[in-house]
Amino acid sequence: MDKFVIKGGNPLIGKVTISGSKNSALPILAATLLTPEECIIHRVPDLSDIRYMLEILKFLGAQVHYEKGTVRVKNKIINWIAPYDLVRKMRASICILGPLIARCGKARVSLPGGCVIGDRPIDLHISGLQKLGANIDIIKGDVVAQGGQLRGTTINLRGPYGSTVLGTDNVMMAACRSEGTTIIEGAACEPEVEDLAKFLVSMGAKISGIGSQRLIIEGIKELHGSEYTIITDRIEAGTFAVGAAMTKGDLFLEQAPVNHMTSVLEKLRDCGVTIQVEEKGLRVSRSGPLKAFEIETSSYPGFPTDMQAQFCAMATIACGKSKVVENIFPNRFMHISELKRLGANIELLKNEVHIYGIERLSGAPVMASDLRASAALVLAGLVADNTTEVHRVYHIDRGYEKIDEKLLAVGAMIKRVYSKT
Ligand code: EPU
C-alpha cells in the first residue's frame, strides 16, 4: 500500500487548479444509465472512486471511454445485477439503484457494507423508491427490486440526521421516468444534488425547485443523451484553503466554486485567514495568528461534514480552544487518535471534540482510515516538525485527484512511496 512521506515546514505558495467534483460525478455517471443514448461528461476527476463507477457501468453493459477528464458512455444494459465484489469498493455505487429500476424495471444491487465514518443506512433510499411503486426486498445481502409500476407521489426524505444526499439522487432519478408527478419534500440541497438535477434536465427531465428542499418532478417516458460539464469540487478547494491557512501560505485556487463554499470561507475569515474572491477563483493567505473557532456540521448550506476533519487538523495549531460538533455522522472522528499521535491536544466527547491548540505538531507515522481523515493527516504533516508518514493513502486517492503532485507544485515536501505489494 502506498504511503506519503511529508516533511513539514514549507508554506504552500502558488496556484492549484481545482478538479471536478467527485460527489457530483458519481451520481451523474449513474444517471447516464437512464438513457440508451450517448452521454458525454466533462471535467470528470481521475479518482479511484470514478474508476470503480466506470467498472460498474461496464459490468452492466456500457461502452465507456475515459480520456483527459471526459467520459463518453453509452449504456446498453445487458445486466441489472451489481455484485458485492464491485459494490463493496465504494458506498456511492448504491446510486445506480434508482436509474436501474427506472430503466429496466428491476435491479439487484449488493448492500454497501460497513464504513468507518459510521452507520450508513439506506432506509430512506428504499422507502422512497417503494413509495414510487418499486417492489423491494433485501435478499442475501442484496437490494432486490422487481416488478411494480413507478408512479409519482409525495415523498419525504428527511431522516434523523437531516436529508439524504444520495437518497435524494436515487429517488429523483427514478422519478424522472415515473408516471405522473413526484414531489420530494426534505430533499438534500447540496450543490452536487443540484448539479445532478441540472444534468437530468439536460437529458430532457422536467424538474423544478432545483436547489431547494422541495423538488417537483414531472415524469417522462424517455430521457435522451446529453453533453455536460461537472461543477468543481468544493471540498477539494476547502482542503487546499485550509492548507494555505495552516502553513501561512498564499494559494490561488483556480476555478474554486466560491458560491458553494460560503460557510467554510466565513469560518476561515473568522480564524484570521484572508480570503479574496477573484474572477477566476479564490486567493487564500494568512500572515497573522490563526484563531481558535467553533463549528457544527449540518446539511448544506451549513458547515459540511466533509470538511470537519480538515478543520480539526487546523485547530490543533490554532491559538486557544476550538470546539467541533459533528451532527451528520456522529462517529466521524477516526482522525482524532492519529492527530494525537502527532502531539495534538484533543478531548473527544460523544459527537464533539475540544481541541487545545499547541505551538507545533511533531511528525510520526500515522494511518489514514477514510478519505477526509487522510486529508486531515496530510495537512497536519505539512506543519509538523520532522517527517510524517501517512500510510494507506489509497483512501485519499479515492477523492483527491493527484493531491501529492498538486501539493508538491506549491512548495510542499511530499513524496509518494509506492508499495511493492
Ligand atoms: N441516512 C439515513 N438513512 C438513509 C440515508 C442516510 O439515516 O437512508 C443518514 C446517514 O446515516 C447520515 C445522514 O443521513 O447520518 C446523511 O447521509 P447521506 O445519505 O446524506 O450521505 P450519503 O449520501 O451517503 C454523501 C456524500 C458523503 C457526505 C454525505 C453528507 C457522496 C458520494 N457521498 O453521502 O461524502 O459526507 O453525503 O454530506 O456524495 C466524502 O466525500 O468523503 C463523503 C463521505
Side-chain angles (χ1 to χ4, degrees), residues 22-24 26-27 49 90-95 115 117-127 159-169 188 190 192 234-235 298-300 304-306 327-330 332 370-372 398-399:
K22 164 183 86 84
N23 290 348
S24 271
L26 291 170
D49 271 11
M90 182 185 62
R91 298 193 54 82
S93 37
I94 194 63
C95 62
C115 174
I117 72 175
D119 190 22
R120 308 268 309 259
I122 56 160
D123 55 307
L124 295 166
H125 303 228
I126 292 179
S127 63
Y161 299 100
S163 303
T164 162
V165 171
L166 291 176
T168 303
D169 291 347
E190 270 65 7
E192 296 78 17
R234 64 191 167 111
I235 306 299
S298 60
S299 303
Y300 189 82
T305 172
D306 292 343
N327 292 318
I328 305 291
F329 296 112
R332 193 178 198 176
D370 76 78
L371 173 56
R372 309 303 170 190
R398 287 186 35 221

Side-chain angles (χ1 to χ4, degrees), residues 332-383:
R332 193 178 198 176
F333 283 119
M334 296 295 284
H335 42 287
I336 296 302
S337 48
E338 299 302 298
L339 288 172
K340 283 184 178 173
R341 287 178 52 74
L342 301 176
N345 184 358
I346 309 179
E347 267 170 22
L348 173 58
L349 318 135
K350 287 195 176 160
N351 70 327
E352 83 180 52
V353 287
H354 297 172
I355 305 177
Y356 303 85
I358 58 171
E359 198 109 312
R360 297 197 66 79
L361 296 171
S362 59
V366 287
M367 194 75 81
S369 56
D370 76 78
L371 173 56
R372 309 303 170 190
S374 16
L377 297 177
V378 169
L379 292 172
L382 294 176
V383 294

Side-chain angles (χ1 to χ4, degrees), residues 197-329:
K198 287 181 178 163
F199 172 62
L200 292 167
V201 168
S202 79
M203 297 172 84
K206 296 196 171 132
I207 308 176
S208 55
I210 293 176
S212 79
Q213 290 183 6
R214 188 166 199 263
L215 295 170
I216 303 167
I217 303 152
E218 299 287 342
I220 54 171
K221 279 219 164 75
E222 301 284 335
L223 295 180
H224 54 73
S226 165
E227 185 162 358
Y228 192 79
T229 302
I230 282 168
I231 55 170
T232 52
D233 198 309
R234 64 191 167 111
I235 306 299
E236 187 199 20
T239 303
F240 277 100
V242 172
M246 288 177 72
T247 60
K248 272 197 154 182
D250 185 347
L251 282 184
F252 179 64
L253 305 177
E254 188 180 49
Q255 64 186 29
V258 179
N259 294 340
H260 300 156
M261 297 174 68
T262 309
S263 60
V264 167
L265 297 181
E266 252 172 34
K267 211 33 93 175
L268 284 171
R269 280 198 180 101
D270 291 350
C271 296
V273 179
T274 305
I275 307 283
Q276 289 160 279
V277 177
E278 298 183 10
E279 199 192 323
K280 292 196 170 150
L282 192 65
R283 184 170 294 281
V284 183
S285 61
R286 176 171 72 90
S287 48
L290 193 56
K291 294 183 216 151
F293 57 87
E294 294 197 0
I295 55 170
E296 198 161 322
T297 63
S298 60
S299 303
Y300 189 82
F303 191 91
T305 172
D306 292 343
M307 283 301 300
Q308 180 258 106
Q310 300 88 318
F311 268 66
C312 284
M314 185 166 79
T316 64
I317 56 157
C319 306
K321 175 187 167 186
S322 299
K323 183 173 147 190
V324 176
V325 180
E326 175 55 67
N327 292 318
I328 305 291
F329 296 112

